[in-house]
Amino acid sequence: MSLAAADPVALAQSLIRCPSVTPDEAGALSVLEEVLAPAGFTVHRMTFSEPGTPDVENLYARIGGAGPNVCFAGHTDVVPPGDTAQWTFPPFAAEIRDGVLYGRGAVDMKGAIACFVAAALGHLERCGGQLGGSISLLITGDEEGPSINGTAKVLDWLRERGERLDACVVGEPSNPHAIGDEIKIGRRGSLNGELVVFGKQGHAAYPHLADNPIPKLARIIDRLSTTPLDEGTPDFEPSSLQVTVISAPNTATNVIPSEARAKFNIRYNDLHRRPGVEEWVRQQCTAAAEEVGARWSVSFSGTGDVFLTRPGPLVDTMTEAVRAVVGRVPRLSTSGGTSDARFIQAYCPVIEFGLVNETIHQVDERVPLSDLHTLTAVYERFLEQFFTRAAGS
Ligand SMILES: [Zn+2]
């Protein structure tokens, strides 16, 4: 193992220089394989397919044959850079200025992957190969996209092989301002809905001969938007429904359209599961539609059910590692969007801890080199504590 390979900054630069916008691998998984295989990891590369979605490459690497198997999960795919002219440096150049590394994926989340690899290699070096279990990496190229040919299918593959994960850290950028702010111990569920209200097309001057669906749609979405689902729980914010799109297939101001549509997104807490949320929506639609005499239908999509990893060994170990390195006790949070942790939670306890999320998906996404070193130290301390604790139990 070369020293350069264990340097999180050099590794983050190598990863950023692969323009791996979803679903392109662009060499990013090869960069990891070239570091992990010589260090003794068994590396599996797998491509998954599904009709109607692009093929996506994924990687699972493991060192050690015994349990417990602590897994680090992440994604090498990135969102598009947008207008590259607005960037201070080209988005895939991985330039460093004044101690800050610029590039798409610097914090979401090639930087954290580099930190974890560096921490794992550092830990292996210190324990002289006497690992108290196994370390694995589950890296997908399909987190920012449809998330169909990524983590969910790697987990199926692991299950078929009888490969067990005992604990998982997802390296998503969990910290609002500084490393050590927050560990994510859960996520709200996310559900998309589309409501269609049916009417009858006609001339705007002869409304009695038509049936305008737009005011009826408005009444229904008003009820959906203003009826609280709940008041929150000790671990979660109140659930929320946000209408995000309204449309009618119509361009003429003198024509009443035959239908009107609204799309909405619901973020729901641990008082609910998806079937209950769908039922709640139908009840609200039924009640509002009865008042205005609307014909309607609703359909749902979305894969992210709510989860919560209760405080326990995994949360405690990361909390202790953060406290030891940065001298602060992180908040345990469930706010923010979904991540692949929503798939992993069905297999083992999972938390998220990574870099600072202030510049994710933005022009000039960037990370201070000091953050990369701090996060590497936190992960290394976490691995040490994790195996110490496992040996003692
Ligand atoms: Zn991410």
PDB file of all heavy atoms in Angstrom, residues 10-22 24-32 34 45 75-79 81 91-94 103-106 110:
ATOM      1  N   ALA A  10      -5.396  13.303  -1.909  1.00  0.00           N
ATOM      2  CA  ALA A  10      -5.020  12.797  -3.234  1.00  0.00           C
ATOM      3  C   ALA A  10      -6.100  11.868  -3.781  1.00  0.00           C
ATOM      4  O   ALA A  10      -6.435  11.909  -4.970  1.00  0.00           O
ATOM      5  CB  ALA A  10      -3.680  12.067  -3.143  1.00  0.00           C
ATOM      6  N   LEU A  11      -6.660  11.065  -2.902  1.00  0.00           N
ATOM      7  CA  LEU A  11      -7.695  10.131  -3.352  1.00  0.00           C
ATOM      8  C   LEU A  11      -8.968  10.878  -3.772  1.00  0.00           C
ATOM      9  O   LEU A  11      -9.588  10.562  -4.789  1.00  0.00           O
ATOM     10  CB  LEU A  11      -7.987   9.120  -2.237  1.00  0.00           C
ATOM     11  CG  LEU A  11      -8.931   7.969  -2.584  1.00  0.00           C
ATOM     12  CD1 LEU A  11      -8.535   7.252  -3.867  1.00  0.00           C
ATOM     13  CD2 LEU A  11      -8.972   6.968  -1.423  1.00  0.00           C
ATOM     14  N   ALA A  12      -9.346  11.877  -2.990  1.00  0.00           N
ATOM     15  CA  ALA A  12     -10.520  12.692  -3.351  1.00  0.00           C
ATOM     16  C   ALA A  12     -10.295  13.362  -4.705  1.00  0.00           C
ATOM     17  O   ALA A  12     -11.200  13.413  -5.541  1.00  0.00           O
ATOM     18  CB  ALA A  12     -10.798  13.738  -2.276  1.00  0.00           C
ATOM     19  N   GLN A  13      -9.071  13.844  -4.937  1.00  0.00           N
ATOM     20  CA  GLN A  13      -8.774  14.476  -6.237  1.00  0.00           C
ATOM     21  C   GLN A  13      -8.915  13.477  -7.381  1.00  0.00           C
ATOM     22  O   GLN A  13      -9.501  13.787  -8.417  1.00  0.00           O
ATOM     23  CB  GLN A  13      -7.355  15.057  -6.235  1.00  0.00           C
ATOM     24  CG  GLN A  13      -7.245  16.346  -5.444  1.00  0.00           C
ATOM     25  CD  GLN A  13      -5.825  16.899  -5.484  1.00  0.00           C
ATOM     26  OE1 GLN A  13      -4.892  16.262  -4.994  1.00  0.00           O
ATOM     27  NE2 GLN A  13      -5.671  18.068  -6.077  1.00  0.00           N
ATOM     28  N   SER A  14      -8.373  12.263  -7.169  1.00  0.00           N
ATOM     29  CA  SER A  14      -8.474  11.242  -8.226  1.00  0.00           C
ATOM     30  C   SER A  14      -9.936  10.931  -8.531  1.00  0.00           C
ATOM     31  O   SER A  14     -10.322  10.744  -9.691  1.00  0.00           O
ATOM     32  CB  SER A  14      -7.779   9.949  -7.801  1.00  0.00           C
ATOM     33  OG  SER A  14      -6.418  10.191  -7.550  1.00  0.00           O
ATOM     34  N   LEU A  15     -10.755  10.859  -7.502  1.00  0.00           N
ATOM     35  CA  LEU A  15     -12.169  10.549  -7.705  1.00  0.00           C
ATOM     36  C   LEU A  15     -12.899  11.692  -8.419  1.00  0.00           C
ATOM     37  O   LEU A  15     -13.691  11.468  -9.338  1.00  0.00           O
ATOM     38  CB  LEU A  15     -12.850  10.256  -6.361  1.00  0.00           C
ATOM     39  CG  LEU A  15     -12.451   8.938  -5.685  1.00  0.00           C
ATOM     40  CD1 LEU A  15     -12.971   8.891  -4.250  1.00  0.00           C
ATOM     41  CD2 LEU A  15     -12.982   7.737  -6.471  1.00  0.00           C
ATOM     42  N   ILE A  16     -12.619  12.923  -8.000  1.00  0.00           N
ATOM     43  CA  ILE A  16     -13.298  14.086  -8.605  1.00  0.00           C
ATOM     44  C   ILE A  16     -12.938  14.197 -10.089  1.00  0.00           C
ATOM     45  O   ILE A  16     -13.759  14.622 -10.907  1.00  0.00           O
ATOM     46  CB  ILE A  16     -12.940  15.382  -7.849  1.00  0.00           C
ATOM     47  CG1 ILE A  16     -13.575  15.384  -6.448  1.00  0.00           C
ATOM     48  CG2 ILE A  16     -13.386  16.628  -8.624  1.00  0.00           C
ATOM     49  CD1 ILE A  16     -13.072  16.482  -5.527  1.00  0.00           C
ATOM     50  N   ARG A  17     -11.712  13.778 -10.442  1.00  0.00           N
ATOM     51  CA  ARG A  17     -11.283  13.895 -11.852  1.00  0.00           C
ATOM     52  C   ARG A  17     -11.988  12.898 -12.768  1.00  0.00           C
ATOM     53  O   ARG A  17     -11.851  12.958 -13.983  1.00  0.00           O
ATOM     54  CB  ARG A  17      -9.757  13.745 -11.936  1.00  0.00           C
ATOM     55  CG  ARG A  17      -9.082  15.010 -11.416  1.00  0.00           C
ATOM     56  CD  ARG A  17      -7.579  14.959 -11.381  1.00  0.00           C
ATOM     57  NE  ARG A  17      -7.077  16.196 -10.778  1.00  0.00           N
ATOM     58  CZ  ARG A  17      -6.034  16.270  -9.965  1.00  0.00           C
ATOM     59  NH1 ARG A  17      -5.346  15.176  -9.658  1.00  0.00           N
ATOM     60  NH2 ARG A  17      -5.680  17.435  -9.466  1.00  0.00           N
ATOM     61  N   CYS A  18     -12.751  11.989 -12.197  1.00  0.00           N
ATOM     62  CA  CYS A  18     -13.613  11.110 -13.007  1.00  0.00           C
ATOM     63  C   CYS A  18     -14.983  11.795 -13.123  1.00  0.00           C
ATOM     64  O   CYS A  18     -15.665  11.960 -12.114  1.00  0.00           O
ATOM     65  CB  CYS A  18     -13.790   9.748 -12.329  1.00  0.00           C
ATOM     66  SG  CYS A  18     -12.223   8.952 -11.930  1.00  0.00           S
ATOM     67  N   PRO A  19     -15.383  12.203 -14.314  1.00  0.00           N
ATOM     68  CA  PRO A  19     -16.658  12.934 -14.448  1.00  0.00           C
ATOM     69  C   PRO A  19     -17.860  11.988 -14.381  1.00  0.00           C
ATOM     70  O   PRO A  19     -18.566  11.779 -15.352  1.00  0.00           O
ATOM     71  CB  PRO A  19     -16.533  13.601 -15.817  1.00  0.00           C
ATOM     72  CG  PRO A  19     -15.583  12.736 -16.581  1.00  0.00           C
ATOM     73  CD  PRO A  19     -14.660  12.077 -15.588  1.00  0.00           C
ATOM     74  N   SER A  20     -18.082  11.426 -13.218  1.00  0.00           N
ATOM     75  CA  SER A  20     -19.053  10.338 -13.061  1.00  0.00           C
ATOM     76  C   SER A  20     -20.456  10.859 -12.765  1.00  0.00           C
ATOM     77  O   SER A  20     -21.065  10.535 -11.750  1.00  0.00           O
ATOM     78  CB  SER A  20     -18.587   9.389 -11.958  1.00  0.00           C
ATOM     79  OG  SER A  20     -18.242  10.114 -10.790  1.00  0.00           O
ATOM     80  N   VAL A  21     -20.970  11.676 -13.681  1.00  0.00           N
ATOM     81  CA  VAL A  21     -22.358  12.132 -13.575  1.00  0.00           C
ATOM     82  C   VAL A  21     -23.254  10.907 -13.803  1.00  0.00           C
ATOM     83  O   VAL A  21     -23.032  10.150 -14.745  1.00  0.00           O
ATOM     84  CB  VAL A  21     -22.646  13.227 -14.635  1.00  0.00           C
ATOM     85  CG1 VAL A  21     -24.126  13.602 -14.613  1.00  0.00           C
ATOM     86  CG2 VAL A  21     -21.772  14.452 -14.384  1.00  0.00           C
ATOM     87  N   THR A  22     -24.231  10.705 -12.935  1.00  0.00           N
ATOM     88  CA  THR A  22     -25.124   9.552 -13.015  1.00  0.00           C
ATOM     89  C   THR A  22     -25.630   9.389 -14.448  1.00  0.00           C
ATOM     90  O   THR A  22     -26.091  10.375 -15.024  1.00  0.00           O
ATOM     91  CB  THR A  22     -26.369   9.751 -12.115  1.00  0.00           C
ATOM     92  OG1 THR A  22     -25.994  10.447 -10.938  1.00  0.00           O
ATOM     93  CG2 THR A  22     -27.042   8.442 -11.777  1.00  0.00           C
ATOM     94  N   ASP A  24     -22.887   7.475 -15.345  1.00  0.00           N
ATOM     95  CA  ASP A  24     -21.546   7.114 -15.839  1.00  0.00           C
ATOM     96  C   ASP A  24     -20.582   6.770 -14.707  1.00  0.00           C
ATOM     97  O   ASP A  24     -20.424   7.558 -13.772  1.00  0.00           O
ATOM     98  CB  ASP A  24     -20.958   8.260 -16.665  1.00  0.00           C
ATOM     99  CG  ASP A  24     -21.721   8.476 -17.965  1.00  0.00           C
ATOM    100  OD1 ASP A  24     -22.406   7.533 -18.402  1.00  0.00           O
ATOM    101  OD2 ASP A  24     -21.621   9.585 -18.515  1.00  0.00           O
ATOM    102  N   GLU A  25     -19.893   5.641 -14.854  1.00  0.00           N
ATOM    103  CA  GLU A  25     -18.874   5.254 -13.875  1.00  0.00           C
ATOM    104  C   GLU A  25     -17.638   6.137 -14.047  1.00  0.00           C
ATOM    105  O   GLU A  25     -17.040   6.566 -13.052  1.00  0.00           O
ATOM    106  CB  GLU A  25     -18.539   3.765 -14.072  1.00  0.00           C
ATOM    107  CG  GLU A  25     -17.595   3.181 -13.038  1.00  0.00           C
ATOM    108  CD  GLU A  25     -16.132   3.267 -13.454  1.00  0.00           C
ATOM    109  OE1 GLU A  25     -15.852   3.393 -14.659  1.00  0.00           O
ATOM    110  OE2 GLU A  25     -15.261   3.211 -12.573  1.00  0.00           O
ATOM    111  N   ALA A  26     -17.272   6.376 -15.302  1.00  0.00           N
ATOM    112  CA  ALA A  26     -16.207   7.331 -15.649  1.00  0.00           C
ATOM    113  C   ALA A  26     -14.878   7.062 -14.946  1.00  0.00           C
ATOM    114  O   ALA A  26     -14.083   7.988 -14.754  1.00  0.00           O
ATOM    115  CB  ALA A  26     -16.677   8.768 -15.393  1.00  0.00           C
ATOM    116  N   GLY A  27     -14.656   5.824 -14.520  1.00  0.00           N
ATOM    117  CA  GLY A  27     -13.369   5.478 -13.918  1.00  0.00           C
ATOM    118  C   GLY A  27     -13.330   5.599 -12.404  1.00  0.00           C
ATOM    119  O   GLY A  27     -12.341   5.221 -11.769  1.00  0.00           O
ATOM    120  N   ALA A  28     -14.397   6.106 -11.788  1.00  0.00           N
ATOM    121  CA  ALA A  28     -14.369   6.358 -10.342  1.00  0.00           C
ATOM    122  C   ALA A  28     -14.262   5.056  -9.538  1.00  0.00           C
ATOM    123  O   ALA A  28     -13.503   4.979  -8.559  1.00  0.00           O
ATOM    124  CB  ALA A  28     -15.606   7.141  -9.916  1.00  0.00           C
ATOM    125  N   LEU A  29     -15.007   4.028  -9.952  1.00  0.00           N
ATOM    126  CA  LEU A  29     -14.927   2.763  -9.203  1.00  0.00           C
ATOM    127  C   LEU A  29     -13.574   2.099  -9.440  1.00  0.00           C
ATOM    128  O   LEU A  29     -13.039   1.423  -8.552  1.00  0.00           O
ATOM    129  CB  LEU A  29     -16.079   1.830  -9.609  1.00  0.00           C
ATOM    130  CG  LEU A  29     -17.487   2.340  -9.264  1.00  0.00           C
ATOM    131  CD1 LEU A  29     -18.549   1.350  -9.720  1.00  0.00           C
ATOM    132  CD2 LEU A  29     -17.633   2.605  -7.767  1.00  0.00           C
ATOM    133  N   SER A  30     -13.004   2.317 -10.630  1.00  0.00           N
ATOM    134  CA  SER A  30     -11.669   1.762 -10.900  1.00  0.00           C
ATOM    135  C   SER A  30     -10.623   2.412 -10.002  1.00  0.00           C
ATOM    136  O   SER A  30      -9.688   1.748  -9.546  1.00  0.00           O
ATOM    137  CB  SER A  30     -11.302   1.957 -12.366  1.00  0.00           C
ATOM    138  OG  SER A  30     -12.191   1.215 -13.186  1.00  0.00           O
ATOM    139  N   VAL A  31     -10.766   3.698  -9.760  1.00  0.00           N
ATOM    140  CA  VAL A  31      -9.842   4.380  -8.836  1.00  0.00           C
ATOM    141  C   VAL A  31      -9.880   3.681  -7.474  1.00  0.00           C
ATOM    142  O   VAL A  31      -8.841   3.391  -6.873  1.00  0.00           O
ATOM    143  CB  VAL A  31     -10.217   5.875  -8.685  1.00  0.00           C
ATOM    144  CG1 VAL A  31      -9.506   6.500  -7.479  1.00  0.00           C
ATOM    145  CG2 VAL A  31      -9.881   6.642  -9.955  1.00  0.00           C
ATOM    146  N   LEU A  32     -11.086   3.362  -7.006  1.00  0.00           N
ATOM    147  CA  LEU A  32     -11.220   2.698  -5.700  1.00  0.00           C
ATOM    148  C   LEU A  32     -10.634   1.287  -5.745  1.00  0.00           C
ATOM    149  O   LEU A  32      -9.905   0.874  -4.828  1.00  0.00           O
ATOM    150  CB  LEU A  32     -12.689   2.648  -5.278  1.00  0.00           C
ATOM    151  CG  LEU A  32     -13.320   4.000  -4.938  1.00  0.00           C
ATOM    152  CD1 LEU A  32     -14.793   3.827  -4.608  1.00  0.00           C
ATOM    153  CD2 LEU A  32     -12.589   4.659  -3.764  1.00  0.00           C
ATOM    154  N   GLU A  34      -8.314   0.159  -7.586  1.00  0.00           N
ATOM    155  CA  GLU A  34      -6.853   0.202  -7.670  1.00  0.00           C
ATOM    156  C   GLU A  34      -6.208   0.497  -6.320  1.00  0.00           C
ATOM    157  O   GLU A  34      -5.031   0.198  -6.100  1.00  0.00           O
ATOM    158  CB  GLU A  34      -6.420   1.244  -8.713  1.00  0.00           C
ATOM    159  CG  GLU A  34      -6.539   0.710 -10.134  1.00  0.00           C
ATOM    160  CD  GLU A  34      -6.671   1.804 -11.180  1.00  0.00           C
ATOM    161  OE1 GLU A  34      -6.254   2.954 -10.900  1.00  0.00           O
ATOM    162  OE2 GLU A  34      -7.193   1.510 -12.269  1.00  0.00           O
ATOM    163  N   ARG A  45     -17.098  -6.057  -8.701  1.00  0.00           N
ATOM    164  CA  ARG A  45     -17.752  -5.007  -9.493  1.00  0.00           C
ATOM    165  C   ARG A  45     -18.996  -5.629 -10.099  1.00  0.00           C
ATOM    166  O   ARG A  45     -18.948  -6.750 -10.606  1.00  0.00           O
ATOM    167  CB  ARG A  45     -16.820  -4.538 -10.617  1.00  0.00           C
ATOM    168  CG  ARG A  45     -15.492  -3.986 -10.134  1.00  0.00           C
ATOM    169  CD  ARG A  45     -15.551  -2.502  -9.867  1.00  0.00           C
ATOM    170  NE  ARG A  45     -15.824  -1.716 -11.049  1.00  0.00           N
ATOM    171  CZ  ARG A  45     -14.888  -1.129 -11.800  1.00  0.00           C
ATOM    172  NH1 ARG A  45     -13.619  -1.282 -11.504  1.00  0.00           N
ATOM    173  NH2 ARG A  45     -15.214  -0.386 -12.853  1.00  0.00           N
ATOM    174  N   HIS A  75     -21.777   6.783  -2.623  1.00  0.00           N
ATOM    175  CA  HIS A  75     -21.975   6.803  -4.072  1.00  0.00           C
ATOM    176  C   HIS A  75     -20.885   7.632  -4.732  1.00  0.00           C
ATOM    177  O   HIS A  75     -20.498   8.682  -4.219  1.00  0.00           O
ATOM    178  CB  HIS A  75     -23.354   7.354  -4.432  1.00  0.00           C
ATOM    179  CG  HIS A  75     -23.620   8.763  -3.972  1.00  0.00           C
ATOM    180  ND1 HIS A  75     -23.335   9.866  -4.735  1.00  0.00           N
ATOM    181  CD2 HIS A  75     -24.144   9.251  -2.815  1.00  0.00           C
ATOM    182  CE1 HIS A  75     -23.694  10.964  -4.089  1.00  0.00           C
ATOM    183  NE2 HIS A  75     -24.174  10.625  -2.907  1.00  0.00           N
ATOM    184  N   THR A  76     -20.410   7.123  -5.876  1.00  0.00           N
ATOM    185  CA  THR A  76     -19.430   7.889  -6.645  1.00  0.00           C
ATOM    186  C   THR A  76     -20.100   8.706  -7.737  1.00  0.00           C
ATOM    187  O   THR A  76     -19.433   9.509  -8.388  1.00  0.00           O
ATOM    188  CB  THR A  76     -18.381   6.965  -7.302  1.00  0.00           C
ATOM    189  OG1 THR A  76     -19.053   5.882  -7.932  1.00  0.00           O
ATOM    190  CG2 THR A  76     -17.379   6.451  -6.284  1.00  0.00           C
ATOM    191  N   ASP A  77     -21.383   8.497  -7.970  1.00  0.00           N
ATOM    192  CA  ASP A  77     -22.021   9.341  -8.991  1.00  0.00           C
ATOM    193  C   ASP A  77     -22.267  10.734  -8.420  1.00  0.00           C
ATOM    194  O   ASP A  77     -22.360  10.925  -7.201  1.00  0.00           O
ATOM    195  CB  ASP A  77     -23.323   8.709  -9.513  1.00  0.00           C
ATOM    196  CG  ASP A  77     -24.401   8.540  -8.459  1.00  0.00           C
ATOM    197  OD1 ASP A  77     -24.058   8.166  -7.318  1.00  0.00           O
ATOM    198  OD2 ASP A  77     -25.586   8.774  -8.769  1.00  0.00           O
ATOM    199  N   VAL A  78     -22.322  11.690  -9.337  1.00  0.00           N
ATOM    200  CA  VAL A  78     -22.532  13.084  -8.934  1.00  0.00           C
ATOM    201  C   VAL A  78     -23.613  13.701  -9.806  1.00  0.00           C
ATOM    202  O   VAL A  78     -23.934  13.186 -10.880  1.00  0.00           O
ATOM    203  CB  VAL A  78     -21.231  13.925  -9.082  1.00  0.00           C
ATOM    204  CG1 VAL A  78     -20.173  13.447  -8.110  1.00  0.00           C
ATOM    205  CG2 VAL A  78     -20.717  13.918 -10.522  1.00  0.00           C
ATOM    206  N   VAL A  79     -24.157  14.828  -9.331  1.00  0.00           N
ATOM    207  CA  VAL A  79     -25.129  15.562 -10.152  1.00  0.00           C
ATOM    208  C   VAL A  79     -24.356  16.368 -11.203  1.00  0.00           C
ATOM    209  O   VAL A  79     -23.167  16.660 -11.025  1.00  0.00           O
ATOM    210  CB  VAL A  79     -26.019  16.494  -9.296  1.00  0.00           C
ATOM    211  CG1 VAL A  79     -26.895  15.666  -8.366  1.00  0.00           C
ATOM    212  CG2 VAL A  79     -25.203  17.501  -8.519  1.00  0.00           C
ATOM    213  N   PRO A  81     -22.694  19.353 -13.404  1.00  0.00           N
ATOM    214  CA  PRO A  81     -22.097  20.578 -12.864  1.00  0.00           C
ATOM    215  C   PRO A  81     -22.872  21.838 -13.198  1.00  0.00           C
ATOM    216  O   PRO A  81     -22.626  22.893 -12.620  1.00  0.00           O
ATOM    217  CB  PRO A  81     -20.721  20.611 -13.536  1.00  0.00           C
ATOM    218  CG  PRO A  81     -20.855  19.797 -14.769  1.00  0.00           C
ATOM    219  CD  PRO A  81     -21.897  18.749 -14.486  1.00  0.00           C
ATOM    220  N   PRO A  91     -15.148  21.951 -13.085  1.00  0.00           N
ATOM    221  CA  PRO A  91     -15.739  21.129 -12.014  1.00  0.00           C
ATOM    222  C   PRO A  91     -15.109  19.750 -11.819  1.00  0.00           C
ATOM    223  O   PRO A  91     -15.277  19.156 -10.753  1.00  0.00           O
ATOM    224  CB  PRO A  91     -17.203  21.007 -12.439  1.00  0.00           C
ATOM    225  CG  PRO A  91     -17.256  21.387 -13.878  1.00  0.00           C
ATOM    226  CD  PRO A  91     -16.134  22.336 -14.104  1.00  0.00           C
ATOM    227  N   PHE A  92     -14.382  19.274 -12.830  1.00  0.00           N
ATOM    228  CA  PHE A  92     -13.745  17.965 -12.656  1.00  0.00           C
ATOM    229  C   PHE A  92     -12.217  18.068 -12.638  1.00  0.00           C
ATOM    230  O   PHE A  92     -11.515  17.084 -12.845  1.00  0.00           O
ATOM    231  CB  PHE A  92     -14.224  16.994 -13.752  1.00  0.00           C
ATOM    232  CG  PHE A  92     -15.719  16.816 -13.748  1.00  0.00           C
ATOM    233  CD1 PHE A  92     -16.509  17.368 -14.749  1.00  0.00           C
ATOM    234  CD2 PHE A  92     -16.346  16.125 -12.714  1.00  0.00           C
ATOM    235  CE1 PHE A  92     -17.894  17.223 -14.726  1.00  0.00           C
ATOM    236  CE2 PHE A  92     -17.726  15.977 -12.676  1.00  0.00           C
ATOM    237  CZ  PHE A  92     -18.506  16.529 -13.686  1.00  0.00           C
ATOM    238  N   ALA A  93     -11.714  19.274 -12.360  1.00  0.00           N
ATOM    239  CA  ALA A  93     -10.257  19.471 -12.329  1.00  0.00           C
ATOM    240  C   ALA A  93      -9.674  19.186 -10.949  1.00  0.00           C
ATOM    241  O   ALA A  93      -8.485  18.936 -10.808  1.00  0.00           O
ATOM    242  CB  ALA A  93      -9.916  20.894 -12.754  1.00  0.00           C
ATOM    243  N   ALA A  94     -10.497  19.249  -9.916  1.00  0.00           N
ATOM    244  CA  ALA A  94     -10.038  18.978  -8.546  1.00  0.00           C
ATOM    245  C   ALA A  94      -8.884  19.891  -8.145  1.00  0.00           C
ATOM    246  O   ALA A  94      -7.883  19.466  -7.585  1.00  0.00           O
ATOM    247  CB  ALA A  94      -9.651  17.508  -8.378  1.00  0.00           C
ATOM    248  N   GLY A 103     -14.590  21.016  -6.629  1.00  0.00           N
ATOM    249  CA  GLY A 103     -14.987  20.069  -7.663  1.00  0.00           C
ATOM    250  C   GLY A 103     -16.324  19.435  -7.365  1.00  0.00           C
ATOM    251  O   GLY A 103     -16.748  19.339  -6.206  1.00  0.00           O
ATOM    252  N   ARG A 104     -17.001  19.013  -8.432  1.00  0.00           N
ATOM    253  CA  ARG A 104     -18.277  18.319  -8.262  1.00  0.00           C
ATOM    254  C   ARG A 104     -18.037  16.998  -7.530  1.00  0.00           C
ATOM    255  O   ARG A 104     -17.184  16.211  -7.949  1.00  0.00           O
ATOM    256  CB  ARG A 104     -18.923  18.094  -9.642  1.00  0.00           C
ATOM    257  CG  ARG A 104     -20.211  17.314  -9.579  1.00  0.00           C
ATOM    258  CD  ARG A 104     -21.273  17.968  -8.672  1.00  0.00           C
ATOM    259  NE  ARG A 104     -22.049  19.001  -9.317  1.00  0.00           N
ATOM    260  CZ  ARG A 104     -22.322  20.185  -8.744  1.00  0.00           C
ATOM    261  NH1 ARG A 104     -21.873  20.491  -7.534  1.00  0.00           N
ATOM    262  NH2 ARG A 104     -23.056  21.080  -9.377  1.00  0.00           N
ATOM    263  N   GLY A 105     -18.746  16.806  -6.440  1.00  0.00           N
ATOM    264  CA  GLY A 105     -18.580  15.593  -5.646  1.00  0.00           C
ATOM    265  C   GLY A 105     -17.621  15.765  -4.470  1.00  0.00           C
ATOM    266  O   GLY A 105     -17.439  14.840  -3.688  1.00  0.00           O
ATOM    267  N   ALA A 106     -17.037  16.958  -4.330  1.00  0.00           N
ATOM    268  CA  ALA A 106     -16.059  17.172  -3.248  1.00  0.00           C
ATOM    269  C   ALA A 106     -16.664  16.800  -1.888  1.00  0.00           C
ATOM    270  O   ALA A 106     -16.001  16.163  -1.063  1.00  0.00           O
ATOM    271  CB  ALA A 106     -15.589  18.621  -3.247  1.00  0.00           C
ATOM    272  N   LYS A 110     -17.642  12.148  -2.850  1.00  0.00           N
ATOM    273  CA  LYS A 110     -16.346  11.525  -3.104  1.00  0.00           C
ATOM    274  C   LYS A 110     -15.353  11.827  -1.986  1.00  0.00           C
ATOM    275  O   LYS A 110     -14.491  10.999  -1.668  1.00  0.00           O
ATOM    276  CB  LYS A 110     -15.811  12.001  -4.454  1.00  0.00           C
ATOM    277  CG  LYS A 110     -16.602  11.421  -5.625  1.00  0.00           C
ATOM    278  CD  LYS A 110     -16.211  12.034  -6.954  1.00  0.00           C
ATOM    279  CE  LYS A 110     -16.845  11.230  -8.096  1.00  0.00           C
ATOM    280  NZ  LYS A 110     -16.567  11.846  -9.398  1.00  0.00           N
TER     281      LYS A 110
END
